[in-house]
């Protein structure tokens, strides 16, 4: 019997043939598998290794503590306080983020705005990053959340740090404030901290100017995470560097008085050490509480701040531009003496009016009393603030020599103070006018400038600098920062002012007589305490052009005008008269009234400042420069030792 | 493996004789692969025997017993049992729709006391058995005749329909591929094959439109562009490729695969176990494992060609093709060459049902090997 019939044989052959074919096919598939392995593991292996590492390792940023800002005696003007906050980890919010927020909203108050912000932050971050829901909670609110924590999946409570300004609005225009990072901020700053939820950066003032230093350097914790973002273990840690402390030259006591004196006026006041340029007080009102920005402004707060005609957001000291008015006459007088025109014998007779070309100009005395000042020398011109004297004198001196003298006093150029947004004002010259307006300088222009009107403008900071330079005879410039992180701010040697002593003496004499001689324009507001006498110069700055008609029938009384149309009241001064120590400027916008409240304020502040005499008191500044050499790192000590404030007297 | 005289393969041989006939080299290879799988289950559990490795040792041991038991049983007995086994598997498959529970979006299990039985796994072997028997009785001309061909296709199609309804696309593909391969091996005329392949190519768009479930479509779409949804549906493919690629030449080392240990790999103990292996043992290890698989398949093809009965040949080839299709689909899937379909890697992936089915298949293969000299007349129906 044959083993196979014929048909079996043919299907055996077919089977074998086709099996061999399929075997080859299977080999080919194995070839493909091996080829793919080669592709993934050998050709692209390095790239996938990087991706696996990216998966595995996650950088957790550690926010460094923000540096403090202190006054010259170590009083903390900006520091950190405990911030009780509630965070939400979206991946752990098992019932969804919106529901979790609703539940939190039943425990503590949450506005729709806050909820929207949280949703936005969560969308911007990985789902395991804790995002702040509410910050700066009271202890009571914080405990309530903690109590409900078991029913709030994904919610974490933590005690962080937040910026605090213990003196509120008092120093806001110096310190500025911190606020949340905006998308524009991120564009200009690649610090990884910028993306940290809840991060605050300096937005104005010192906080902005020295933000990098005060912020510190981010620490990072390299952690191994699993696919759900849970931390498995820490691979390494970089503690970062805490922010640096900033010491200001401010004396908070004087600052407090200045701020209190200005009150709710739209006003500015600066006190400066005439010898080294230290700013003792710098106040611009109205202010606002910088803590608002840290916590987050409400819409109505923001609306009030941006729409108020008192411009609370503007630092009027550095960014407010005013016609200097009669305070500028000191510069004209200096120019006249330096030019050899206003010799001791030089006199101008004021009949109340002066005609130049076919225009007639009035002296303020004519407008007010309908008589002139009579014959005046330079000192008398300053004392009486005689317009006619300065019209005539300026006409003889010419704009370019006035320009020269004013520039020596620091007008027309930024002072270089360590605050952002400083304006330079304008000190015109004939060249400037030709360049800007393509028109030659007119004599009428000079006459306007002679009384501090027309093209000339200045910031209050420039005016106090001018007073300090006149008082000290040195080219001092205002400086408000003493040191950052123990490193002294560079202070170039202060040169002697490039004017003759005799000229300075005569201008000072005039300013002395303004206050301390009967008939001086500020005699009623003089300091009577012996040894503390102040010299000064008042000024009134027009904010509108007077019509011909008004000139004819007399200027309308300020009090009869709308607030916005009233003249600004200015005062610059220094004290004591002998060996001056401090200079001051005070300006009340639209505040030119006969009672001269701005001079009264300046008097009170200057008296207090002299009696306290912060320039003589031992400061709490970090000990000279030992910090510019890196201190030895002490193992296991996270916090740097803060400089010990020297106990300040007074 | 001395070739015994023809008489030794007769039914009268004792069990001990037959055990000597077992291809122990193949058993050794299977054990090596099985051990690699157990080691990987230990690794992906974070170097713990629980929850998978210990149980898998049990599955594998039970599998070995099943393998040897199946090996010593005469293939003619298996031939007699082919149709009843097919009928039983089909009944269980239908029962799944009634009492099966829902797992991973697909109804695939039937609970038999402690064991969760996956009838679709059973069906793969039962279909191979039944088709082998059916085609054994058909001459090469008969295979291509309409009525026998229709019956053969129905034997493939009916279970395929039930499996695809579960829905379980991966297993359906294997059932259809396996069944059709057997028709092909039995000598189906190219006059049938060529037009069918053409029609199949044309049917793909239609299947996309009317047959595939949304989640299946999503898998295909994700496959075509995994980066489009790297954190969502593309996650599996992206992470699997990272795991394999980051293994590099030599791998990250045993138990040191970060992708699986940190849960970036999904279903790392089942469908993606091979990925973890590639991550930890690198190109060298993965290639070595592929070689082991290839040698097993080579043994299987050789066994099929050495069998004297058409039943034995088809059975051996069917079993080995089944094994091959598992490897192919899983391998191509985890390396991102085809869409993700739920197919485990045989012998490596965790799971009792799949392990027992694969080992039982190898038992049948071994039975063919031991009984390769047995002749079975074309019209015989077995010996029971």
């Amino acid at each position: 019997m044959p083993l196979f019939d014929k048909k079996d044989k043919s299907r055996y052959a077919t089977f074998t043939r086709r099996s061999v074919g399929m075997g080859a096919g299977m080999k080919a598939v194995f070839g493909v598998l091996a080829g793919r392995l080669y592709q993934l593991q050998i050709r692209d292996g390095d790239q996938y290794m990087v991706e696996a590492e990216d998966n595995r390792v996650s950088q957790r940023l550690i926010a460094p503590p923000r540096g403090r800002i202190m006054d010259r005696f170590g009083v903390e003007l900006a520091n950190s306080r405990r911030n009780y906050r509630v965070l939400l980890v979206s991946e752990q919010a098992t019932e969804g983020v919106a529901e979790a927020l609703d539940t939190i909203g039943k425990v503590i108050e949450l506005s729709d705005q806050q909820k929207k912000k949280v949703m936005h932050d969560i969308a911007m971050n990985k789902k395991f990053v804790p995002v702040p829901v509410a910050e700066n909670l009271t202890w009571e609110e914080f405990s309530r959340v903690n109590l409900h924590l078991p029913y709030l999946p994904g919610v974490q409570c933590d005690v962080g740090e937040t910026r605090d300004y213990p003196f509120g609005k008092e120093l806001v225009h110096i310190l500025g404030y911190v606020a949340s990072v905006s998308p524009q901020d991120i564009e200009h700053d690649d610090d990884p901290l910028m993306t940290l939820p809840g991060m605050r950066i300096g937005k104005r003032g010192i906080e902005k100017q020295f933000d990098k230093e005060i912020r510190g350097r981010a620490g990072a914790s390299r952690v191994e995470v699993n696919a759900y973002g849970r931390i498995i273990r820490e691979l390494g840690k970089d503690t970062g560097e805490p922010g640096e402390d900033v010491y200001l030259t401010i004396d908070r006591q004087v600052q407090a008085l200045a701020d209190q004196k200005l009150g709710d006026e739209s006003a500015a006041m600066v006190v400066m050490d005439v010898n080294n340029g230290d700013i003792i007080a710098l106040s611009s009102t109205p202010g606002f509480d910088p803590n608002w920005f840290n916590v987050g402004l409400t819409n109505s707060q923001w609306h009030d701040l941006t729409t108020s005609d008192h411009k609370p957001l503007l630092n009027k000291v550095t960014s407010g531009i005013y016609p200097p008015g009669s305070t500028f006459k000191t510069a004209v007088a200096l120019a006249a003496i330096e030019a050899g025109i206003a010799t001791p014998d030089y006199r101008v007779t004021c009949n109340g009016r002066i005609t130049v070309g076919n225009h007639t100009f009035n002296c303020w005395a004519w407008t007010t009393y309908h008589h002139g000042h009579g014959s005046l020398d330079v000192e008398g011109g300053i004392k009486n603030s005689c317009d006619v004297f300065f019209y005539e004198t300026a006409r003889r001196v010419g704009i370019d020599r006035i320009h020269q003298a004013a520039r020596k006093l620091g007008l027309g150029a930024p002072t270089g103070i360590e605050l952002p947004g400083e304006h330079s004002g304008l000190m015109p010259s004939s060249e400037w006018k030709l360049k800007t307006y393509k028109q030659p300088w007119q004599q009428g222009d000079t006459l306007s400038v002679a009384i501090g009107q027309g093209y000339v403008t200045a910031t209050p900071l420039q005016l106090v600098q001018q007073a300090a330079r006149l008082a000290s005879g040195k080219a001092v410039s205002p400086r408000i920062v003493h040191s950052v992180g123990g490193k002294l701010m560079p202070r170039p040697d202060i040169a002697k002012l490039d004017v003759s002593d005799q000229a300075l003496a005569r201008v000072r004499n005039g300013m002395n007589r303004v206050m301390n001689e009967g008939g001086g324009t500020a005699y009623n507001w003089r300091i009577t305490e012996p040894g503390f006498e102040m010299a000064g110069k008042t000024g009134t700055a027009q904010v509108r052009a007077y019509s011909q008609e008004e000139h004819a029938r007399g200027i309308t009384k300020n009090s009869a005008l709308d607030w916005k149309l009233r003249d600004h009241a200015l005062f610059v001064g220094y004290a004591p008269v002998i060996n001056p120590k401090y200079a001051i400027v005070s300006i009340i916008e639209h505040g030119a009234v006969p009672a001269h409240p701005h001079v009264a304020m300046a008097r009170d502040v200057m008296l207090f400042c002299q009696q306290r005499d912060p320039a003589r008191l031992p400061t709490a500044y970090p000990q000279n420069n030992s910090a510019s050499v890196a201190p030895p790192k002490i193992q296991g000590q996270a916090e740097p030792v803060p400089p010990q404030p020297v106990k300040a007297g007074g | 493996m001395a070739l015994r005289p023809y008489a030794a393969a007769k039914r009268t041989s004792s069990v001990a004789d037959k055990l000597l006939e077992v291809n122990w080299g193949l058993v050794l290879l299977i054990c090596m692969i099985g051990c690699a799988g157990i080691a990987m289950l230990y690794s992906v559990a974070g170097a713990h025997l629980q929850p998978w490795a210990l149980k898998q040792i049990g599955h594998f041991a039970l599998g070995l017993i099943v393998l040897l038991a199946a090996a010593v049983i005469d293939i003619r007995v298996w031939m007699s049992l082919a149709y009843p086994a097919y009928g039983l598997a089909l009944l269980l498959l239908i029962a799944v729709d009634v009492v099966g529970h829902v797992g991973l979006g697909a109804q695939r299990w039937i609970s038999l006391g402690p064991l969760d039985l996956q009838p679709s796994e059973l069906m793969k072997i039962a279909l191979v058995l039944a088709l082998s028997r059916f085609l054994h009785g058909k001459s090469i001309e008969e295979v291509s005749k309409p009525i026998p061909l229709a019956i053969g296709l129905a034997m493939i199609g009916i279970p395929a329909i039930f499996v695809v309804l579960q829905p379980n696309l991966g297993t359906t593909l294997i059932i259809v591929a396996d069944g059709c391969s057997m028709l092909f091996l039995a000598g189906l005329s190219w006059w049938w094959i060529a037009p069918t392949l053409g029609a199949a190519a044309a049917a793909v768009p239609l299947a996309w439109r009317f047959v595939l479930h949304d989640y299946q479509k999503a898998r295909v779409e994700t496959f075509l562009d995994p980066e489009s949804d790297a954190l969502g549906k593309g996650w599996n493919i992206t992470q699997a490729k990272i795991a394999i690629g980051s293994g590099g030449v030599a791998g990250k080392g045993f138990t040191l695969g970060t992708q699986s240990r940190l849960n970036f790999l999904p279903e790392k103990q089942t469908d993606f176990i091979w990925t973890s292996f590639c991550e930890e043992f690198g190109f060298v290890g993965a290639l070595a494992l592929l070689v082991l698989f290839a040698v097993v398949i080579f043994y299987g093809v050789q066994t099929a060609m050495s069998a004297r009965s058409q039943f034995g040949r088809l059975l051996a080839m069917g079993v080995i093709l089944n094994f091959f299709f598992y490897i192919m689909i899983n391998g191509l899937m985890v390396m991102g060459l085809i869409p993700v379909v739920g197919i485990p890697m045989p012998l490596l992936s965790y799971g009792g049902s799949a392990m027992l089915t694969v080992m039982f298949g190898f038992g049948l293969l071994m039975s063919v090997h031991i009984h390769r000299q047995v002749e079975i007349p074309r019209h015989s129906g077995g010996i029971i």
Side-chain angles (χ1 to χ4, degrees), chain B residues 242-327:
Chain B
I242 292 174
I244 295 173
S246 64
V249 178
K252 294 178 185 165
F254 183 52
T255 73
L256 299 177
T258 55
Q259 287 285 101
S260 41
R261 185 162 54 79
L262 300 172
N263 280 324
F264 288 98
L265 272 182
E267 299 175 51
K268 57 194 178 183
Q269 79 280 13
T270 55
D271 293 1
F272 287 86
I273 189 85
W274 153 253
T275 316
S276 299
F277 185 89
C278 293
E279 185 186 15
E280 296 191 354
F281 295 100
F283 184 65
V284 175
L287 212 57
L289 196 60
L290 276 187
V291 168
L292 289 186
F293 277 131
V295 173
V296 168
I297 287 167
F298 173 76
Y299 266 127
V301 176
Q302 200 199 36
T303 301
M305 293 205 287
S306 68
R308 300 187 78 146
S309 62
Q310 182 75 347
F311 175 74
R313 289 180 219 147
L314 286 171
L315 181 58
M317 208 53 194
V319 163
I320 218 66
L321 278 168
N322 184 33
F323 182 67
F324 166 77
F325 284 131
Y326 268 111
I327 298 167

